[in-house]
Amino acid sequence: MRLCRECWPRRGQLTTIAGLLNCLPDASVNNLNPRQREAVLAITGPVLVLAGAGSGKTSVITRKIAYLIQDCGVPAHKILAVTFTNKAAREMKERAAKLVHGPEARGLMVSTFHTLGLTMLKRHPETFGLKKNFSIFDAEDSRTLLGELLHKENASDKIDLVRNLISGYKNELMLPSEAMSRAETDVDVFAATVYEQYERHLRAYNAVDFDDLIVRPTLALQNDATLREHWQNRVHYLLVDEYQDTNAAQYSMVQNLVGARATFTAVGDDDQSIYAWRGARPENMAQLAVDYPQLKLIKLEQNYRSTSRILKAANAVIANNPHVFEKQLWSQHGMGEPIRVIQCGSEDSEAEKVATEILNHKLMQRTEFRDYAVLYRGNFQARVLETKLRELQVPYKISGGQSFFARSEIKDVMAYLRLVINPEDDNAFLRIINTPKREIGPATLEKLGGYSQQRGCAMLLACDEMGLGLHVGERAHGRLQDFAQWVQDTARAIIDGDDPLAAIKQMLSDIQYQDYLLDSSPTPKAAERRMESVNSFLASVQRLWDKVEDEEDRDIEAVIRKLVLLDLLEQQAEEDNSDKVQLMTLHAAKGLEFPHVTLMGLEEDLLPHRNSIEAGTVEEERRLMYVGITRAKQTLTLTYASKRKFGGESLPTTPSRFLEELPADELEWEGRSSGRSIEQKQALGNAHLSNLKNLFG
C-alpha cells in the first residue's frame, strides 16, 4: 500500500479505501512485477518479504527507499537499511543513490548490523562504560587474549571451543552470570568462568570484541529508555535484508529500534539460512508473525536468474525440508539445458573432469573464464582442482580466502607501525605487547588497563608512570617501562631518521620477528611463507616512499597511514574484474550468480557433511545445496567421486542423498545418452584434440 507525501504524516487516519486510492503510483514502482510492487508500496505496518533466490530483492529494497523519500515525504535521515556485509550495504546505497538524487538523499543510512552498533558505541561511549578511543578486538585478538587466560599457546582447538561458546552466549544476550546459571556440563562451567575473566579484561583494556558491537547496543536499548527513545525517533522506517541470518541479539535490536510504531520491512529467505553455526536463527522469520500479528507477508517467487529446469531442481530438493512459509520459484527464461551429473572414479579424476569440461565448454561456446564457478563444501576440495587447472593453464581465483592485510604477520607489523605513529592506539599496543612474548601476563595487563583508565591516558603512556608501580610488581613494571622506552626510540628512528625503511627493518630485527615466526608456525616452510609476506609488505612501503618525488614532502607517517587506510574491498573489486574461473565454498557463494556452475563432491559425509549427519542438522546442509543450485543461470553440473582418500586410504563413497531428491527427468547422467547431436559430439572431440595440441605443442 502506498501513501503520497501529503498522506504519510496522517497515515494512521487513512482507514478508507477511497482515502488510500487517492495516492497514485509513480516511477518508484515502474518495471516491477505485481508482488515486487506490492512489497514496495506496503509501508503502514510490519512487512515480511519472502524473497526467493534471484527474485530481485535488492531492487525492491532500493525502490522502497526511493518511494519513502520521494513519494511519502519521509526524510532520508529517518530511514535505516541494514544488511550483513559491507559489500551488500555499499551496493544497496549506490543503487538507492541512482534513484534518489541531490539533497533528498542526504542522511540516508545504509549499514551492516555491526556498523550500526559501532555507530551507537561511538556516539554514546559513556553509556557503555567506554572511553572515546576504545579498541575493537577482531577474532585473532580475542583468540590471543583467551590463549593467555587459558595459559595455552598451541591448544587452538580448546581456545576456539571456548571462543565459540562465548560468542554463542553473546549472540543469545547472555551475560557471564546467566551463562553460569545455565551451565549443565563441566565444559559449560569452564567456558562461563573464562567468559567472566574475558569480559573483565576487555573492560580493563577499554575494548570490545566483534560480538559486542551488537550485544552492547542491544542490551542498552533494552534497559535504557532514554537511549531507546532517541533511536526510535531517529529511525522512522527500518528495512532489514537477509533476515533469515539474524541471531537473537539482532532480532532484539530490530524490535527495540522499531518500537510500537512497527514500521519496518524484513526481507529474507528461510531456504537460504546457512549460518546456524554462527548463531543465525531462520525461525526468527516465523517469530515475526507471532510478535507482530498484523504482519503482512509478500512472496517474491519469480526468479530472474536461472532457467526453469534449474529452478525445478532447486524446488524439488528444498521441498524435503519442513516449511512455515511455502514458495515455488519460477522463471520465464525457458527450460534450459539438462542438469549434468558426472560420476568420477576418484577425487583426482573428478578434478581433471571439472577442469577439462570448463575449458572445452569455453572453447565451444566462446565464453569467458569468469563465467564459470566451481563450488564445494570445504576449502580442501580445491587443492587437487587447482593443480589440474594450472596444468591446463586455466586461470582461476579462490574467493573467500584470507586477504593480504588479514594475515597475522601483516597485522603484527601494522600494529607496530600504528603504535609508532600513534602511541594512544591501545588496540595496537595490546596486539604487540606479547608478540613476541615479553613475559607480561594477562593479570599485569588487566591492572595496566585499569590504571590507564583511572589516569585517562593510553596504555603505552601509562607504562612510564611511577604510580603504576603501586599496582603491578616491580619486575612487571620494569618490563613495561623497557618496552615503552624501546617504542619511543624506535619511533624516533623511523619518523625522524634519515632512512625510515632501514629503521623499520631494524625494528623487526630488534624483536627477532623471523625467529618468532619459526617458533610459532607449524612448519619451517609455513614460517618462510609468512616472512615472504612481511618482505612483500616492506616492499610496498618502499614503493609508496619512492613515489614521493619531493624530498621535503617525504613523510613516513603519511605513508604508514595510507597503508593503514588501504581499503581491502577496492583490491578485491580489482581482482573480481579479471577473467578467471571462480573457486569458492558454498557458504562464500551466497548472494552471487554465475552463468555456469559446477558443484563438486556430491557425496555423503561431504554434502551433507558428516558433522551435520551426526548432529541431525541435515536440513541446513540441504539449504546449502539449494543455495549452490540457485547460483547457476544457464548450466548446472554436479560431480562426485566413487572413491576418495581418507587418512591416506582410498575408500568407497556413497552418492549424496541430495542427488536422489533431484527430479530424475531433468538430469543427464554421464555414461547414459547425452542427447548431443552429431555436430556437437564432433565439436567436442575437436576441442579435446585442440587442447591436447596446445598442451604438448
Side-chain angles (χ1 to χ4, degrees), residues 160-200:
D160 286 338
L161 172 64
V162 173
R163 187 169 71 88
N164 290 336
L165 286 171
I166 291 174
S167 181
Y169 297 147
K170 291 192 174 189
N171 289 335
E172 293 294 322
L173 296 174
M174 292 170 57
L175 298 174
S177 57
E178 187 178 358
M180 182 62 76
S181 68
R182 294 192 184 187
E184 296 180 354
T185 67
D186 291 343
V187 173
D188 294 336
V189 172
F190 178 70
T193 303
V194 176
Y195 180 20
E196 190 279 328
Q197 296 173 5
Y198 175 78
E199 287 297 283
R200 196 176 68 238

Side-chain angles (χ1 to χ4, degrees), residues 645-687:
K645 289 180 182 177
F646 295 98
E649 185 179 0
S650 184
L651 300 174
T653 69
T654 303
S656 171
R657 68 190 71 186
F658 301 148
L659 290 173
E660 298 174 5
E661 296 173 359
L662 293 167
D665 56 339
E666 307 301 341
L667 306 182
E668 181 183 88
W669 291 77
E670 187 78 7
R672 299 179 183 179
S673 177
S674 66
R676 293 191 180 99
S677 67
I678 295 175
E679 292 78 10
Q680 287 175 316
K681 291 178 180 178
Q682 289 176 340
L684 185 61
N686 291 334

Side-chain angles (χ1 to χ4, degrees), residues 224-508:
D224 189 327
T226 303
L227 183 72
R228 186 168 60 250
E229 185 179 354
H230 169 84
W231 280 95
Q232 288 180 1
N233 289 333
R234 165 68 174 81
V235 181
H236 280 203
Y237 203 94
L238 176 67
L239 303 103
V240 186
D241 193 15
E242 305 287 4
Y243 207 81
Q244 76 280 349
D245 293 334
T246 56
N247 57 34
Q250 289 159 336
Y251 187 96
S252 179
M253 177 181 276
V254 168
Q255 283 186 304
N256 282 282
L257 285 172
V258 301
R261 188 188 299 120
T263 47
F264 70 88
T265 295
V267 182
D269 181 5
D270 51 347
D271 288 334
Q272 295 188 72
S273 181
I274 57 175
Y275 296 117
W277 49 275
R278 68 183 191 194
R281 295 170 40 163
E283 60 268 29
N284 280 352
M285 295 181 68
Q287 188 62 36
L288 283 173
V290 177
D291 294 335
Y292 302 93
Q294 71 276 38
L295 182 74
K296 184 179 181 63
L297 174 66
I298 301 169
K299 299 180 183 181
L300 304 184
E301 297 173 294
Q302 183 174 357
N303 175 285
Y304 294 91
R305 175 185 299 157
S306 308
T307 65
S308 295
R309 184 170 274 117
I310 291 170
L311 296 181
K312 187 177 178 181
N315 289 332
V317 168
I318 206 63
N320 292 276
N321 274 3
H323 288 85
V324 175
F325 308 110
E326 298 287 346
K327 69 176 187 301
Q328 285 282 315
L329 296 182
W330 60 277
S331 167
Q332 293 181 333
H333 290 327
M335 286 303 293
E337 296 185 26
I339 297 167
R340 298 179 66 206
V341 184
I342 303 175
Q343 176 183 345
C344 305
S346 66
E347 63 257 54
D348 283 341
S349 60
E350 180 188 37
E352 185 169 4
K353 184 69 174 176
V354 171
T356 55
E357 286 285 328
I358 289 173
L359 184 56
N360 292 330
H361 190 273
K362 179 187 183 299
L363 293 172
M364 291 175 61
Q365 302 297 323
R366 301 184 182 277
T367 54
E368 296 183 314
F369 285 119
R370 65 168 62 91
D371 294 333
Y372 300 85
V374 183
L375 314 181
Y376 35 78
R377 183 61 176 83
N379 280 308
F380 71 93
Q381 294 172 258
R383 294 169 190 162
V384 182
L385 180 59
E386 285 188 77
T387 302
K388 301 300 180 183
L389 290 170
R390 285 197 297 267
E391 289 176 359
L392 292 173
Q393 299 180 0
V394 174
Y396 67 90
K397 176 191 145 201
I398 297 182
S399 299
Q402 191 179 46
S403 67
F404 181 77
F405 280 90
R407 297 174 186 175
S408 62
E409 62 272 16
I410 303 303
K411 293 178 72 172
D412 287 344
V413 179
M414 285 295 294
Y416 272 99
L417 295 179
R418 281 164 45 202
L419 193 61
V420 160
I421 66 170
N422 179 17
E424 295 188 357
D425 191 332
D426 282 350
N427 197 25
F429 173 89
L430 288 167
R431 181 175 183 88
I432 66 173
I433 186 64
N434 278 311
T435 305
K437 292 292 183 184
R438 295 186 174 87
E439 298 182 26
I440 299 171
T444 297
L445 290 174
E446 183 184 4
K447 292 173 183 175
L448 171 64
Y451 178 81
S452 72
Q453 287 206 36
Q454 291 174 14
R455 296 286 295 159
C457 66
M459 296 177 77
L460 178 67
L461 303 179
C463 292
D464 263 339
E465 294 201 358
M466 296 304 298
L468 180 62
L470 300 174
H471 299 266
V472 301
E474 184 179 347
R475 291 182 63 189
H477 191 197
R479 292 192 182 103
L480 289 170
Q481 286 179 314
D482 290 344
F483 176 71
Q485 185 61 54
W486 176 81
V487 172
Q488 292 172 29
D489 295 341
T490 301
R492 279 194 295 270
I494 293 175
I495 296 171
D496 301 326
D498 296 329
D499 192 343
L501 273 300
I504 293 172
K505 291 176 182 178
Q506 183 60 50
M507 175 187 76
L508 296 176

Side-chain angles (χ1 to χ4, degrees), residues 51-107:
S55 62
K57 65 180 178 70
T58 304
S59 181
V60 167
I61 294 172
T62 53
R63 294 288 189 97
K64 192 158 193 170
I65 291 171
Y67 172 64
L68 285 165
I69 296 171
Q70 295 177 326
D71 295 82
C72 303
V74 183
H77 68 272
K78 295 286 188 179
I79 299 172
L80 170 62
V82 184
T83 187
F84 277 82
T85 67
N86 289 320
K87 181 181 179 183
R90 189 175 66 251
E91 180 188 355
M92 196 179 294
K93 194 161 189 175
E94 289 172 351
R95 290 177 65 170
K98 291 178 181 177
L99 297 171
V100 184
H101 305 284
E104 281 190 311
R106 194 170 297 144

Side-chain angles (χ1 to χ4, degrees), residues 83-182:
T83 187
F84 277 82
T85 67
N86 289 320
K87 181 181 179 183
R90 189 175 66 251
E91 180 188 355
M92 196 179 294
K93 194 161 189 175
E94 289 172 351
R95 290 177 65 170
K98 291 178 181 177
L99 297 171
V100 184
H101 305 284
E104 281 190 311
R106 194 170 297 144
L108 173 66
M109 189 174 179
V110 182
S111 75
T112 64
F113 271 104
H114 290 90
T115 302
L116 174 62
L118 179 59
T119 300
M120 292 183 184
L121 292 180
K122 284 184 174 179
R123 289 185 183 178
H124 319 278
E126 67 288 343
T127 302
F128 307 97
L130 295 167
K131 296 188 297 185
K132 284 187 176 181
N133 62 335
F134 63 87
S135 301
I136 303 172
F137 274 33
D138 62 14
E140 193 171 344
D141 296 326
S142 295
R143 289 187 82 261
T144 300
L145 174 56
L146 287 170
E148 291 171 350
L149 294 175
L150 296 172
H151 307 291
K152 302 282 187 184
E153 294 182 26
N154 298 312
S156 60
D157 54 340
K158 293 181 180 178
I159 293 171
D160 286 338
L161 172 64
V162 173
R163 187 169 71 88
N164 290 336
L165 286 171
I166 291 174
S167 181
Y169 297 147
K170 291 192 174 189
N171 289 335
E172 293 294 322
L173 296 174
M174 292 170 57
L175 298 174
S177 57
E178 187 178 358
M180 182 62 76
S181 68
R182 294 192 184 187

